[in-house]
Amino acid sequence: MELRILQYFLAVAREQSISAAAKTLHLSQPTLSTQLKSLEDELGKQLLIRGTKGSRKVLLTEEGMILRKRAEEILDLVQKTEHEITVPDDVVAGDIYIGTGESDSIRILARVARRLREKYPNIHYHIRSGNSTFVFEYLEKGLIDFGLVYGSVDVSQYASVQIPVRDTWGVLMRRDAPLAAKKGISPEDLFDKPLILSAQKSDDWPLSQWFGKDVEKLNIVATYNLLYNASLLVDEGFGYAVCFDKLINTTGESNLCFRPLTPRLESEATLIWKRYQVFSKPASRFVNEILEYCE
């Protein structure tokens, strides 16, 4: 399977039209059609559903959607590799890829990056947002260099450094909500309330112990990966979002407020990378800088 053919396939998936993709690729339509048919023959699967005479729109089959996702990852990794290899030996320049969820701990990474920029202004940073499952998956595939995660870490597979700040758990709610009058929110306050929880749960998820009961027995009306989307549900009076502090602006004219959990609940983030990983020069400098900062 050639990289060039994957690029052709992605162009068709993006344009949803073989003729439109052929124009962007500067190919004839018959040539592109032949290349796509060869790819399907090679894989033994139909990837595209060609339009009828009344429609030229091309749709992806289930196998085509899988290939699109993998092809994007493959080409991203190829581009990342080319950038790392082609940088001159005496120059520290290139890209650093970091996967992370939403956390105020990102400020620490920003401070380290700012310090490093003073020494190496040609290092560029790319933040990929997602939950821990996303971070671990992208680390394993080599699509990111570092991941910011919460909870236990397999030290046999990952090296790590603890981020020296704690994120405070609490509840995001409307200012006119009944619980807004309280200074702190107890588990009993939430047992009968419509809750919006993070979709990320694990065996060591701290809220399970804090609630003191099976989380699934709570009145969970929605889950979220990105807190901004959850904040819109809260703003519309749909429920209470349990989340970290300092991620949503609740000052000024905001309709929302944040109340910490009581007993107080905090979490520490860990920056991880694959153990025995061979780093690019920018990533190596970043590791040294953040270890020095956190120590």
PDB file of all heavy atoms in Angstrom, residues 3 7 71-87 94-95 97 126 128 142-143:
ATOM      1  N   LEU A   3       1.963   5.264   0.053  1.00  0.00           N
ATOM      2  CA  LEU A   3       1.510   6.487   0.702  1.00  0.00           C
ATOM      3  C   LEU A   3       0.783   7.389  -0.287  1.00  0.00           C
ATOM      4  O   LEU A   3      -0.202   8.054   0.061  1.00  0.00           O
ATOM      5  CB  LEU A   3       2.700   7.234   1.306  1.00  0.00           C
ATOM      6  CG  LEU A   3       3.440   6.533   2.444  1.00  0.00           C
ATOM      7  CD1 LEU A   3       4.633   7.374   2.887  1.00  0.00           C
ATOM      8  CD2 LEU A   3       2.514   6.273   3.622  1.00  0.00           C
ATOM      9  N   GLN A   7      -2.990   9.072   0.007  1.00  0.00           N
ATOM     10  CA  GLN A   7      -3.295  10.496  -0.188  1.00  0.00           C
ATOM     11  C   GLN A   7      -4.422  10.671  -1.196  1.00  0.00           C
ATOM     12  O   GLN A   7      -5.300  11.523  -1.018  1.00  0.00           O
ATOM     13  CB  GLN A   7      -2.041  11.232  -0.642  1.00  0.00           C
ATOM     14  CG  GLN A   7      -0.967  11.328   0.424  1.00  0.00           C
ATOM     15  CD  GLN A   7       0.340  11.882  -0.094  1.00  0.00           C
ATOM     16  OE1 GLN A   7       0.665  11.742  -1.271  1.00  0.00           O
ATOM     17  NE2 GLN A   7       1.111  12.530   0.782  1.00  0.00           N
ATOM     18  N   ALA A  71      -5.381   6.029   7.663  1.00  0.00           N
ATOM     19  CA  ALA A  71      -4.566   6.729   6.670  1.00  0.00           C
ATOM     20  C   ALA A  71      -4.159   8.105   7.183  1.00  0.00           C
ATOM     21  O   ALA A  71      -3.019   8.545   6.984  1.00  0.00           O
ATOM     22  CB  ALA A  71      -5.328   6.858   5.356  1.00  0.00           C
ATOM     23  N   GLU A  72      -5.072   8.795   7.853  1.00  0.00           N
ATOM     24  CA  GLU A  72      -4.744  10.104   8.416  1.00  0.00           C
ATOM     25  C   GLU A  72      -3.647   9.965   9.464  1.00  0.00           C
ATOM     26  O   GLU A  72      -2.713  10.776   9.522  1.00  0.00           O
ATOM     27  CB  GLU A  72      -5.996  10.730   9.028  1.00  0.00           C
ATOM     28  CG  GLU A  72      -7.015  11.194   7.993  1.00  0.00           C
ATOM     29  CD  GLU A  72      -8.325  11.638   8.607  1.00  0.00           C
ATOM     30  OE1 GLU A  72      -8.569  11.278   9.791  1.00  0.00           O
ATOM     31  OE2 GLU A  72      -9.106  12.327   7.925  1.00  0.00           O
ATOM     32  N   GLU A  73      -3.738   8.919  10.301  1.00  0.00           N
ATOM     33  CA  GLU A  73      -2.720   8.696  11.327  1.00  0.00           C
ATOM     34  C   GLU A  73      -1.374   8.365  10.696  1.00  0.00           C
ATOM     35  O   GLU A  73      -0.325   8.854  11.131  1.00  0.00           O
ATOM     36  CB  GLU A  73      -3.169   7.561  12.257  1.00  0.00           C
ATOM     37  CG  GLU A  73      -4.391   7.900  13.106  1.00  0.00           C
ATOM     38  CD  GLU A  73      -4.909   6.709  13.884  1.00  0.00           C
ATOM     39  OE1 GLU A  73      -4.392   5.577  13.637  1.00  0.00           O
ATOM     40  OE2 GLU A  73      -5.799   6.877  14.734  1.00  0.00           O
ATOM     41  N   ILE A  74      -1.391   7.517   9.658  1.00  0.00           N
ATOM     42  CA  ILE A  74      -0.149   7.107   8.992  1.00  0.00           C
ATOM     43  C   ILE A  74       0.542   8.313   8.367  1.00  0.00           C
ATOM     44  O   ILE A  74       1.748   8.518   8.538  1.00  0.00           O
ATOM     45  CB  ILE A  74      -0.450   6.041   7.914  1.00  0.00           C
ATOM     46  CG1 ILE A  74      -0.856   4.720   8.583  1.00  0.00           C
ATOM     47  CG2 ILE A  74       0.761   5.822   7.009  1.00  0.00           C
ATOM     48  CD1 ILE A  74      -1.409   3.696   7.617  1.00  0.00           C
ATOM     49  N   LEU A  75      -0.198   9.124   7.651  1.00  0.00           N
ATOM     50  CA  LEU A  75       0.396  10.269   6.967  1.00  0.00           C
ATOM     51  C   LEU A  75       0.869  11.335   7.961  1.00  0.00           C
ATOM     52  O   LEU A  75       1.885  11.999   7.730  1.00  0.00           O
ATOM     53  CB  LEU A  75      -0.598  10.856   5.970  1.00  0.00           C
ATOM     54  CG  LEU A  75      -0.934   9.927   4.783  1.00  0.00           C
ATOM     55  CD1 LEU A  75      -2.002  10.556   3.901  1.00  0.00           C
ATOM     56  CD2 LEU A  75       0.309   9.612   3.961  1.00  0.00           C
ATOM     57  N   ASP A  76       0.137  11.493   9.075  1.00  0.00           N
ATOM     58  CA  ASP A  76       0.592  12.414  10.124  1.00  0.00           C
ATOM     59  C   ASP A  76       1.930  11.952  10.699  1.00  0.00           C
ATOM     60  O   ASP A  76       2.831  12.760  10.949  1.00  0.00           O
ATOM     61  CB  ASP A  76      -0.448  12.506  11.247  1.00  0.00           C
ATOM     62  CG  ASP A  76      -1.629  13.384  10.883  1.00  0.00           C
ATOM     63  OD1 ASP A  76      -1.527  14.116   9.876  1.00  0.00           O
ATOM     64  OD2 ASP A  76      -2.647  13.334  11.596  1.00  0.00           O
ATOM     65  N   LEU A  77       2.048  10.637  10.925  1.00  0.00           N
ATOM     66  CA  LEU A  77       3.276  10.090  11.483  1.00  0.00           C
ATOM     67  C   LEU A  77       4.431  10.220  10.497  1.00  0.00           C
ATOM     68  O   LEU A  77       5.568  10.522  10.887  1.00  0.00           O
ATOM     69  CB  LEU A  77       3.068   8.627  11.861  1.00  0.00           C
ATOM     70  CG  LEU A  77       4.207   7.937  12.623  1.00  0.00           C
ATOM     71  CD1 LEU A  77       4.553   8.713  13.888  1.00  0.00           C
ATOM     72  CD2 LEU A  77       3.837   6.505  12.957  1.00  0.00           C
ATOM     73  N   VAL A  78       4.158  10.012   9.219  1.00  0.00           N
ATOM     74  CA  VAL A  78       5.190  10.175   8.191  1.00  0.00           C
ATOM     75  C   VAL A  78       5.687  11.615   8.164  1.00  0.00           C
ATOM     76  O   VAL A  78       6.898  11.882   8.118  1.00  0.00           O
ATOM     77  CB  VAL A  78       4.646   9.766   6.804  1.00  0.00           C
ATOM     78  CG1 VAL A  78       5.604  10.200   5.696  1.00  0.00           C
ATOM     79  CG2 VAL A  78       4.429   8.264   6.744  1.00  0.00           C
ATOM     80  N   GLN A  79       4.749  12.559   8.193  1.00  0.00           N
ATOM     81  CA  GLN A  79       5.126  13.975   8.183  1.00  0.00           C
ATOM     82  C   GLN A  79       5.947  14.337   9.414  1.00  0.00           C
ATOM     83  O   GLN A  79       6.955  15.051   9.326  1.00  0.00           O
ATOM     84  CB  GLN A  79       3.870  14.840   8.109  1.00  0.00           C
ATOM     85  CG  GLN A  79       4.157  16.325   7.974  1.00  0.00           C
ATOM     86  CD  GLN A  79       2.878  17.141   7.939  1.00  0.00           C
ATOM     87  OE1 GLN A  79       1.951  16.923   8.715  1.00  0.00           O
ATOM     88  NE2 GLN A  79       2.818  18.102   7.027  1.00  0.00           N
ATOM     89  N   LYS A  80       5.538  13.834  10.580  1.00  0.00           N
ATOM     90  CA  LYS A  80       6.261  14.084  11.827  1.00  0.00           C
ATOM     91  C   LYS A  80       7.677  13.532  11.735  1.00  0.00           C
ATOM     92  O   LYS A  80       8.654  14.184  12.135  1.00  0.00           O
ATOM     93  CB  LYS A  80       5.504  13.443  12.983  1.00  0.00           C
ATOM     94  CG  LYS A  80       6.113  13.643  14.370  1.00  0.00           C
ATOM     95  CD  LYS A  80       5.171  13.076  15.422  1.00  0.00           C
ATOM     96  CE  LYS A  80       5.718  13.261  16.822  1.00  0.00           C
ATOM     97  NZ  LYS A  80       6.826  12.349  17.108  1.00  0.00           N
ATOM     98  N   THR A  81       7.823  12.333  11.185  1.00  0.00           N
ATOM     99  CA  THR A  81       9.130  11.698  11.058  1.00  0.00           C
ATOM    100  C   THR A  81      10.037  12.467  10.107  1.00  0.00           C
ATOM    101  O   THR A  81      11.226  12.677  10.380  1.00  0.00           O
ATOM    102  CB  THR A  81       8.971  10.251  10.570  1.00  0.00           C
ATOM    103  OG1 THR A  81       8.103   9.533  11.459  1.00  0.00           O
ATOM    104  CG2 THR A  81      10.315   9.545  10.510  1.00  0.00           C
ATOM    105  N   GLU A  82       9.481  12.897   8.990  1.00  0.00           N
ATOM    106  CA  GLU A  82      10.265  13.660   8.014  1.00  0.00           C
ATOM    107  C   GLU A  82      10.800  14.952   8.622  1.00  0.00           C
ATOM    108  O   GLU A  82      11.956  15.321   8.419  1.00  0.00           O
ATOM    109  CB  GLU A  82       9.406  13.975   6.784  1.00  0.00           C
ATOM    110  CG  GLU A  82       9.118  12.756   5.913  1.00  0.00           C
ATOM    111  CD  GLU A  82       8.195  13.084   4.756  1.00  0.00           C
ATOM    112  OE1 GLU A  82       7.567  14.166   4.796  1.00  0.00           O
ATOM    113  OE2 GLU A  82       8.100  12.270   3.829  1.00  0.00           O
ATOM    114  N   HIS A  83       9.964  15.637   9.400  1.00  0.00           N
ATOM    115  CA  HIS A  83      10.386  16.881  10.030  1.00  0.00           C
ATOM    116  C   HIS A  83      11.538  16.640  11.010  1.00  0.00           C
ATOM    117  O   HIS A  83      12.487  17.420  11.088  1.00  0.00           O
ATOM    118  CB  HIS A  83       9.215  17.530  10.766  1.00  0.00           C
ATOM    119  CG  HIS A  83       8.222  18.159   9.832  1.00  0.00           C
ATOM    120  ND1 HIS A  83       6.979  18.574  10.251  1.00  0.00           N
ATOM    121  CD2 HIS A  83       8.268  18.424   8.505  1.00  0.00           C
ATOM    122  CE1 HIS A  83       6.313  19.079   9.227  1.00  0.00           C
ATOM    123  NE2 HIS A  83       7.074  18.992   8.159  1.00  0.00           N
ATOM    124  N   GLU A  84      11.444  15.530  11.769  1.00  0.00           N
ATOM    125  CA  GLU A  84      12.468  15.249  12.767  1.00  0.00           C
ATOM    126  C   GLU A  84      13.805  14.896  12.117  1.00  0.00           C
ATOM    127  O   GLU A  84      14.872  15.279  12.608  1.00  0.00           O
ATOM    128  CB  GLU A  84      12.005  14.099  13.676  1.00  0.00           C
ATOM    129  CG  GLU A  84      10.828  14.472  14.585  1.00  0.00           C
ATOM    130  CD  GLU A  84      10.309  13.278  15.365  1.00  0.00           C
ATOM    131  OE1 GLU A  84      10.791  12.153  15.114  1.00  0.00           O
ATOM    132  OE2 GLU A  84       9.427  13.458  16.221  1.00  0.00           O
ATOM    133  N   ILE A  85      13.755  14.155  11.014  1.00  0.00           N
ATOM    134  CA  ILE A  85      14.979  13.662  10.391  1.00  0.00           C
ATOM    135  C   ILE A  85      15.685  14.740   9.577  1.00  0.00           C
ATOM    136  O   ILE A  85      16.921  14.795   9.529  1.00  0.00           O
ATOM    137  CB  ILE A  85      14.664  12.432   9.507  1.00  0.00           C
ATOM    138  CG1 ILE A  85      14.247  11.248  10.400  1.00  0.00           C
ATOM    139  CG2 ILE A  85      15.861  12.049   8.642  1.00  0.00           C
ATOM    140  CD1 ILE A  85      13.816  10.026   9.632  1.00  0.00           C
ATOM    141  N   THR A  86      14.935  15.605   8.934  1.00  0.00           N
ATOM    142  CA  THR A  86      15.536  16.554   8.002  1.00  0.00           C
ATOM    143  C   THR A  86      16.105  17.810   8.661  1.00  0.00           C
ATOM    144  O   THR A  86      16.743  18.620   7.989  1.00  0.00           O
ATOM    145  CB  THR A  86      14.487  16.990   6.951  1.00  0.00           C
ATOM    146  OG1 THR A  86      13.328  17.525   7.617  1.00  0.00           O
ATOM    147  CG2 THR A  86      14.075  15.811   6.089  1.00  0.00           C
ATOM    148  N   VAL A  87      15.896  17.978   9.977  1.00  0.00           N
ATOM    149  CA  VAL A  87      16.459  19.144  10.658  1.00  0.00           C
ATOM    150  C   VAL A  87      17.981  19.010  10.715  1.00  0.00           C
ATOM    151  O   VAL A  87      18.499  17.947  11.081  1.00  0.00           O
ATOM    152  CB  VAL A  87      15.887  19.266  12.087  1.00  0.00           C
ATOM    153  CG1 VAL A  87      16.591  20.373  12.854  1.00  0.00           C
ATOM    154  CG2 VAL A  87      14.399  19.534  12.038  1.00  0.00           C
ATOM    155  N   GLY A  94      11.864  22.013  15.458  1.00  0.00           N
ATOM    156  CA  GLY A  94      10.926  20.953  15.108  1.00  0.00           C
ATOM    157  C   GLY A  94       9.659  21.046  15.919  1.00  0.00           C
ATOM    158  O   GLY A  94       9.329  22.096  16.472  1.00  0.00           O
ATOM    159  N   ASP A  95       8.972  19.935  16.034  1.00  0.00           N
ATOM    160  CA  ASP A  95       7.639  19.904  16.634  1.00  0.00           C
ATOM    161  C   ASP A  95       7.595  19.002  17.852  1.00  0.00           C
ATOM    162  O   ASP A  95       8.230  17.942  17.888  1.00  0.00           O
ATOM    163  CB  ASP A  95       6.618  19.415  15.607  1.00  0.00           C
ATOM    164  CG  ASP A  95       6.583  20.301  14.374  1.00  0.00           C
ATOM    165  OD1 ASP A  95       6.146  21.448  14.507  1.00  0.00           O
ATOM    166  OD2 ASP A  95       7.002  19.855  13.289  1.00  0.00           O
ATOM    167  N   TYR A  97       4.580  17.190  20.224  1.00  0.00           N
ATOM    168  CA  TYR A  97       3.154  16.867  20.256  1.00  0.00           C
ATOM    169  C   TYR A  97       2.777  16.392  21.655  1.00  0.00           C
ATOM    170  O   TYR A  97       3.402  15.475  22.203  1.00  0.00           O
ATOM    171  CB  TYR A  97       2.831  15.783  19.229  1.00  0.00           C
ATOM    172  CG  TYR A  97       3.018  16.237  17.800  1.00  0.00           C
ATOM    173  CD1 TYR A  97       4.283  16.242  17.211  1.00  0.00           C
ATOM    174  CD2 TYR A  97       1.940  16.668  17.035  1.00  0.00           C
ATOM    175  CE1 TYR A  97       4.464  16.675  15.898  1.00  0.00           C
ATOM    176  CE2 TYR A  97       2.107  17.093  15.730  1.00  0.00           C
ATOM    177  CZ  TYR A  97       3.372  17.096  15.172  1.00  0.00           C
ATOM    178  OH  TYR A  97       3.546  17.518  13.872  1.00  0.00           O
ATOM    179  N   HIS A 126       2.200  21.330  19.536  1.00  0.00           N
ATOM    180  CA  HIS A 126       0.897  20.931  19.011  1.00  0.00           C
ATOM    181  C   HIS A 126       0.146  20.187  20.112  1.00  0.00           C
ATOM    182  O   HIS A 126       0.607  19.143  20.587  1.00  0.00           O
ATOM    183  CB  HIS A 126       1.058  20.042  17.774  1.00  0.00           C
ATOM    184  CG  HIS A 126       1.935  20.649  16.720  1.00  0.00           C
ATOM    185  ND1 HIS A 126       1.455  21.516  15.762  1.00  0.00           N
ATOM    186  CD2 HIS A 126       3.273  20.540  16.501  1.00  0.00           C
ATOM    187  CE1 HIS A 126       2.451  21.903  14.975  1.00  0.00           C
ATOM    188  NE2 HIS A 126       3.564  21.336  15.413  1.00  0.00           N
ATOM    189  N   ARG A 128      -3.031  18.099  21.431  1.00  0.00           N
ATOM    190  CA  ARG A 128      -4.123  17.226  21.009  1.00  0.00           C
ATOM    191  C   ARG A 128      -4.991  16.938  22.232  1.00  0.00           C
ATOM    192  O   ARG A 128      -4.518  16.380  23.221  1.00  0.00           O
ATOM    193  CB  ARG A 128      -3.580  15.917  20.419  1.00  0.00           C
ATOM    194  CG  ARG A 128      -2.636  16.122  19.226  1.00  0.00           C
ATOM    195  CD  ARG A 128      -3.416  16.581  18.006  1.00  0.00           C
ATOM    196  NE  ARG A 128      -2.562  16.693  16.833  1.00  0.00           N
ATOM    197  CZ  ARG A 128      -2.065  17.831  16.378  1.00  0.00           C
ATOM    198  NH1 ARG A 128      -2.315  18.951  17.031  1.00  0.00           N
ATOM    199  NH2 ARG A 128      -1.312  17.855  15.291  1.00  0.00           N
ATOM    200  N   GLY A 142       2.712   6.543  18.480  1.00  0.00           N
ATOM    201  CA  GLY A 142       3.777   7.485  18.164  1.00  0.00           C
ATOM    202  C   GLY A 142       3.294   8.795  17.585  1.00  0.00           C
ATOM    203  O   GLY A 142       4.080   9.547  17.017  1.00  0.00           O
ATOM    204  N   LEU A 143       2.007   9.097  17.746  1.00  0.00           N
ATOM    205  CA  LEU A 143       1.440  10.328  17.186  1.00  0.00           C
ATOM    206  C   LEU A 143       1.622  11.520  18.113  1.00  0.00           C
ATOM    207  O   LEU A 143       1.432  12.659  17.699  1.00  0.00           O
ATOM    208  CB  LEU A 143      -0.044  10.121  16.862  1.00  0.00           C
ATOM    209  CG  LEU A 143      -0.326   9.078  15.780  1.00  0.00           C
ATOM    210  CD1 LEU A 143      -1.828   8.828  15.656  1.00  0.00           C
ATOM    211  CD2 LEU A 143       0.247   9.520  14.443  1.00  0.00           C
TER     212      LEU A 143
END
